[in-house]
Amino acid sequence: MELVSVTIVATDPEAEIVCGLLRTNGVDCPYRQTNVAVGAAEGLARGGPVEILVSPGDLDEARRLLAAEPSSET
C-alpha cells in the first residue's frame, strides 16, 4: 500500500512521540529517515529529519490530530 507524508520532525524520539499519538487514536504510523543524510558512510543515513507516514485514507484524521491544541486543564 502506498503511504503519504503527514509531517517531518527533527529526530527519531520525536517521531516516536508523534506516532504514539497517532497510533493511540487508531492511525497506523510508520516513519523513515529523509534523504537529508545522503552521502553518509556507505549511503546509510545517520540521523536527521524523520518523515511521518500514514495511509491516504488516514491523512485527514492524522492532520486533525496533529493540529489539535493540547488541553489546558490542570
Side-chain angles (χ1 to χ4, degrees):
M1 171 172 44
E2 185 176 326
L3 298 173
V4 295
S5 178
V6 67
T7 192
I8 296 176
V9 297
T11 64
D12 282 346
E14 189 176 355
E16 279 296 326
I17 292 168
V18 170
C19 282
L21 167 74
L22 295 175
R23 290 176 186 138
T24 297
N25 287 280
V27 176
D28 189 32
C29 177
Y31 59 89
R32 65 182 175 200
Q33 294 293 143
T34 65
N35 64 358
V36 171
V38 168
E42 298 179 26
L44 299 175
R46 300 202 185 269
V50 180
E51 185 176 31
I52 308 296
L53 305 168
V54 298
S55 70
D58 288 332
L59 184 58
D60 289 340
E61 178 67 3
R63 286 179 175 160
R64 185 191 69 75
L65 290 165
L66 295 177
E69 293 292 322
S71 175
S72 60
E73 295 178 25
T74 56

